[in-house]
Amino acid sequence: MKAIVIGGGIGGLTAALALLDQGIEVEVYEQAHELKEIGAGLQIAANASRVLTRLGLGPELERLGVAVHAIVMRDLHSDRPVHSLPVERSDATPEAMTARFDGTFYQLHRPDLLGMLADAVPAGVTRLGEKATGFVDDGAGVTVTFESGHRTRGDLLIGADGIHSRVRGQLLGETEPEFSRIVAWRALIPREKLAHLDLEQDCHVWLGPNRSGVAYWVHGGELLNFVGMVPADETAAESWTTQGDLAQMRRSFAGSNARLQAILDEIESPFITGYYYRYPLAEWSRGRVALLGDAAHPMHPFLAQGACQAIEDAAVLAHTLASHLADGDVPAALAEYQTRRIPRAARVQNASRTQEPVWHMSDPREIVQRNRTLASLSELDPDAKTLYGWVFSYDVEAEAAKPLRDPSAVLRREEARRAWTMWATLLRPKDLDRQHHGIREAYDRFLLHNFPPDPTVSVEDSPVDGRTHLRVTAPDGAGGPTLLHFHGGGYLLGSAAGSVGLASRLARETGGSVVVPDYRLAPEHPYPAAVEDAVASYDALLGRGVDPATILISGESAGGGLAVALAMRLRDLGRPMPAGIVAMCPMGDLAVTGESVDTAAGVDPISTRTFLTQMATSYLQGSNPRAPLASPVYGDYQGLPPLLIQVGENEALYSDATRMADAARRDGVEVELDAYPDTVHVFHMFDFLPESTAALERTAKFAGRVTALRP
């Protein structure tokens, strides 16, 4: 098998090494007349350094790279710490490296990395000064032509020729990349000029309004790499090599803290980088041609994963081609490469892009919310395994060796797989761009489109304290029970309007009415805002003359946890208690310690450890994650009314549900726990699932028993 690689950058040369390591012949073509990189830095996290080490570059990485201890984020103006992400071992505690990400996080001078790759590729493999003009895939092989008149033929072609890839243009059609509207001032400063500064062997990040500064050591610690990201309208240049105006750069960072100013003072000749990106592609390969690196997935710099993802591509490409050496089915190998890589690279692309508004917040209130959220994150995730482990701990070769399968096949039944896919595809890339604002809109769109209200029920708004309270009443349901139902969404998402579909089915089954209140959401309104609003909603029902003996409080997901927390709060306030509680797939532990969070990884497509932690910390913002009104698994259940808990056996919050049931039994509360196999989180919403109908029928029977009001 012979591979032709267009592009002699980091991705192309890593691909050459990986392919050669598998016994595959390689030719690399680079249009430049010499292999060189712009004099700047990059970061090679553990997910990529493991690949390079396996390819024999470990000693060179140790010699020329700088092993990072932590990524330390500070306020750009005050220099006060905002967040610290431990990514590597320190000299004092080498065991910490294995405990975190099983690999070294290196900071490198780009020319150093390119040089070590070029030196490792055998002589004669790379041809310089050859600009590809086109290719022909005739089904039996690929022929590539060059401006020089040279032609070559191989079994496959890999386009590793960057964001403006000619291979990509011919393969998928010419489209312009997106301009991020961010440019970066870049410079390298010799160590001797900064001897007076206390700059540890960390990655230093300064977060400021609409801008940020990053500094870290490269080239064996002899050079400090500085990157200052600012809005593009502050400078006209957008190229990789344009020399910038020194005075203009300093104006961009006027008012910065003393350490950052001292770094800026030592810069003599900055240059400017414009950042371009693409949204994730639906395909990377056709026939015998595939893309790799920036040709496939150019991304924002905020996770420092651009080069890392190209290195991962190279490892998976080599693995999949090697697995097809016996049958020689190159198109099948490239299709497998694409299938394995697109979900991973797309997730990294999306996460990298959506970090920009977090770094560059300008609203003082949002900055306070962000910093409080990061403080909670430091408590819940001190080793950064949750927030960044999915990036840095990813073992690309182990993942490449796993059998390919439809991800939804973790569930047995066709209708359950349909629900799984609906959850998995809820968010589109552009929904993520506006952080929680965009995710909220996407979540409501998902609910309103897929789960409209039953047309036979009536819906009216009965506001409380200016908040929407939708009363959904079944036909002839005036004499039935009243359910005060709280929507889910991790205290970050959801609305009364979005929950009307489920509420209407609840009303039909119970023969009564369901009141769905809006409650204040995080991060704008942190804990205990939701509990306070829940109490006000309950009090409003009592104020309208509703007999508490006819009321049940219920909720799904975070709303299920909120329903139990409300009952605890009502008891402590001495309020009349409701007749019962219904918790559907409850989120009851904001410390995210449930065993099922990890055992359901890959099975539950929506309640991932990362997402649960992000939602919890956005709500907590420094509050105790084990406070009972935030996390009722830790609460006292004495004096609570009968409790019905319903949960899917293979969802991430299964442990939350079972622990809440155990705590209730411990405290003498009547509790029923219904566990449903082979289903998804909040299966109650999916009206085509038989377990949804069964669960709502059980809820109706429970409501009729505890209120003595029959449907």
Side-chain angles (χ1 to χ4, degrees):
M1 189 179 291
K2 175 183 173 182
I4 302 166
V5 177
I6 305 299
I10 291 167
L13 292 180
T14 305
L17 287 176
L19 292 167
L20 289 167
D21 188 58
Q22 295 286 357
I24 297 170
E25 183 183 351
V26 183
E27 292 178 359
V28 178
Y29 292 87
E30 167 57 44
Q31 66 179 0
H33 291 278
E34 59 178 319
L35 288 176
K36 64 179 182 179
E37 278 276 16
I38 300 300
L42 53 72
Q43 295 168 319
I44 298 297
N47 54 305
S49 71
R50 283 192 298 272
V51 174
L52 297 178
T53 298
R54 288 168 185 161
L55 292 174
L57 297 179
E60 283 296 280
L61 288 172
E62 288 285 344
R63 183 175 72 87
L64 293 172
V66 176
V68 188
H69 301 156
I71 299 173
V72 182
M73 297 180 175
R74 299 183 180 88
D75 181 82
L76 185 137
H77 297 298
S78 68
D79 207 27
R80 285 194 301 268
V82 172
H83 185 59
S84 181
L85 165 65
V87 295
E88 263 313 333
R89 67 180 187 267
S90 68
D91 294 335
T93 58
E95 69 278 0
M97 178 267 288
T98 301
R100 290 194 179 104
F101 304 121
D102 194 25
T104 305
F105 192 116
Y106 288 107
Q107 297 170 155
L108 287 157
H109 194 202
R110 278 182 175 271
D112 288 344
L113 178 58
L114 189 67
M116 67 179 73
L117 288 167
D119 290 345
V121 174
V125 169
T126 305
R127 294 185 57 160
L128 302 177
E130 291 284 6
K131 185 175 183 178
T133 56
F135 64 85
V136 175
D137 177 356
D138 59 20
V142 184
T143 302
V144 186
T145 56
F146 299 85
E147 279 188 352
S148 66
H150 178 69
R151 294 165 62 89
T152 190
R153 184 170 174 81
D155 296 291
L156 67 140
L157 170 65
I158 299 300
D161 47 342
I163 190 169
H164 299 292
S165 167
R166 285 175 171 263
V167 176
R168 180 192 180 283
Q170 182 176 340
L171 186 70
L172 304 179
E174 295 286 354
T175 57
E176 290 298 316
E178 306 269 355
F179 181 41
S180 69
R181 307 306 304 167
I182 301 168
V183 296
W185 297 95
R186 291 182 176 272
L188 290 164
I189 309 166
R191 172 175 282 278
E192 56 269 20
K193 288 190 172 186
L194 299 169
H196 59 293
L197 290 183
D198 180 22
L199 283 174
E200 303 88 347
Q201 195 169 297
D202 294 328
C203 175
H204 305 271
V205 179
W206 289 277
L207 307 179
N210 302 312
R211 68 204 64 242
S212 57
V214 181
Y216 54 84
W217 298 103
V218 299
H219 195 58
E222 294 304 312
L223 297 171
L224 185 77
N225 181 67
F226 171 76
V227 184
M229 287 173 275
V230 301
D233 57 12
E234 291 190 6
T235 180
E238 299 170 6
S239 78
W240 278 96
T241 57
T242 302
Q243 291 292 123
D245 178 78
L246 194 58
Q248 189 177 44
M249 181 195 71
R250 289 176 176 159
R251 283 195 299 273
S252 288
F253 289 92
S256 299
N257 66 82
R259 282 208 297 175
L260 182 52
Q261 285 292 343
I263 293 171
L264 295 168
D265 288 345
E266 298 299 335
I267 295 175
E268 296 179 355
S269 55
F271 62 96
I272 300 173
T273 303
Y275 286 121
Y276 293 80
Y277 68 98
R278 294 185 190 277
Y279 285 98
L281 298 176
E283 60 179 337
W284 293 2
S285 74
R286 290 180 181 175
R288 292 175 174 267
V289 183
L291 305 175
L292 180 150
D294 279 355
H297 48 68
M299 61 187 68
H300 283 69
F302 297 99
L303 282 181
Q305 280 287 305
C308 296
Q309 290 306 297
I311 291 167
E312 284 189 12
D313 291 346
V316 175
L317 174 68
H319 181 277
T320 54
L321 286 169
S323 69
H324 284 272
L325 279 173
D327 61 32
D329 193 342
V330 169
L334 295 183
E336 179 183 338
Y337 158 74
Q338 167 183 275
T339 300
R340 291 185 181 279
R341 286 302 299 156
I342 284 181
R344 162 70 173 172
R347 187 180 179 190
V348 176
Q349 278 179 286
N350 290 333
S352 299
R353 188 179 67 256
T354 57
Q355 282 296 301
E356 189 271 331
V358 177
W359 281 38
H360 293 169
M361 281 180 180
S362 58
D363 186 313
R365 293 168 299 179
E366 291 187 346
I367 290 171
V368 169
Q369 294 161 13
R370 177 198 66 193
N371 293 352
R372 287 175 177 170
T373 299
L374 290 172
S376 277
L377 189 63
S378 295
E379 180 179 354
L380 290 188
D381 188 28
D383 288 330
K385 293 179 182 177
T386 296
L387 194 61
Y388 293 104
W390 68 273
V391 183
F392 302 148
S393 295
Y394 188 83
D395 188 330
V396 63
E397 295 191 9
E399 292 295 325
K402 291 180 179 179
L404 275 180
R405 60 174 175 78
D406 176 0
S408 71
V410 293
L411 300 180
R412 297 188 303 274
R413 297 169 299 140
E414 182 179 352
E415 63 267 30
R417 291 194 294 271
R418 176 185 167 195
W420 191 100
T421 301
M422 290 171 69
W423 268 132
T425 57
L426 186 160
L427 296 175
R428 300 176 300 207
K430 290 189 178 181
D431 293 328
L432 301 171
D433 288 354
R434 293 171 46 241
Q435 296 286 303
H436 61 277
H437 302 291
I439 298 173
R440 280 178 189 165
E441 291 178 8
Y443 188 54
D444 275 354
R445 182 180 66 233
F446 169 76
L447 296 176
L448 293 167
H449 175 74
N450 292 298
F451 313 113
D454 187 314
T456 66
V457 304
S458 65
V459 180
E460 59 179 326
D461 188 6
S462 305
V464 174
D465 296 335
R467 293 180 288 112
T468 297
H469 279 58
L470 297 180
R471 179 182 289 272
V472 183
T473 307
D476 302 320
T482 298
L483 277 73
L484 179 61
H485 184 84
F486 298 98
H487 66 76
Y491 299 102
L492 189 74
L493 318 172
S495 67
S499 286
V500 166
L502 176 56
S504 69
R505 296 178 63 221
L506 273 170
R508 288 275 298 179
E509 288 294 337
T510 61
S513 61
V514 181
V515 176
V516 188
D518 274 336
Y519 52 89
R520 289 172 293 168
L521 297 176
E524 298 91 337
H525 305 286
Y527 171 83
V531 180
E532 293 170 348
D533 289 351
V535 171
S537 297
Y538 186 81
D539 284 347
L541 286 182
L542 300 185
R544 291 170 182 166
V546 182
D547 182 353
T550 67
I551 298 175
L552 285 87
I553 50 179
S554 64
E556 85 268 6
S557 195
L562 180 57
V564 176
L566 169 60
M568 293 176 177
R569 184 60 178 153
L570 294 174
R571 174 201 60 200
D572 295 343
L573 291 171
R575 299 286 205 279
M577 295 298 285
I581 310 166
V582 180
M584 302 172 175
C585 307
M587 180 180 181
D589 180 14
L590 300 195
V592 199
T593 63
E595 179 184 5
S596 58
V597 175
D598 293 320
T599 58
V603 179
D604 189 329
I606 189 68
S607 300
T608 64
R609 175 171 287 281
T610 300
F611 197 28
L612 290 172
T613 301
Q614 289 172 332
M615 291 189 294
T617 54
S618 291
Y619 181 48
L620 291 168
Q621 292 189 34
S623 294
N624 180 5
R626 290 173 173 78
L629 298 187
S631 300
V633 295
Y634 303 105
D636 176 3
Y637 285 71
Q638 294 184 71
L640 266 57
L643 173 62
L644 171 64
I645 301 176
Q646 299 173 326
V647 68
E649 289 182 350
N650 49 355
E651 64 169 299
L653 297 182
Y654 177 74
S655 294
D656 286 24
T658 57
R659 291 159 68 198
M660 290 169 70
D662 290 344
R665 292 191 189 101
R666 175 201 67 204
D667 292 338
V669 173
E670 177 190 333
V671 60
E672 300 176 31
L673 175 65
D674 294 348
Y676 294 80
D678 194 46
T679 195
V680 296
H681 182 52
V682 196
F683 55 88
H684 308 73
M685 296 190 307
F686 298 85
D687 52 10
F688 54 84
L689 293 176
E691 60 269 28
S692 172
T693 301
L696 297 190
E697 289 175 350
R698 283 276 291 128
T699 299
K701 290 179 181 178
F702 176 80
R705 181 173 64 81
V706 299
T707 64
L709 298 172
R710 298 299 175 186

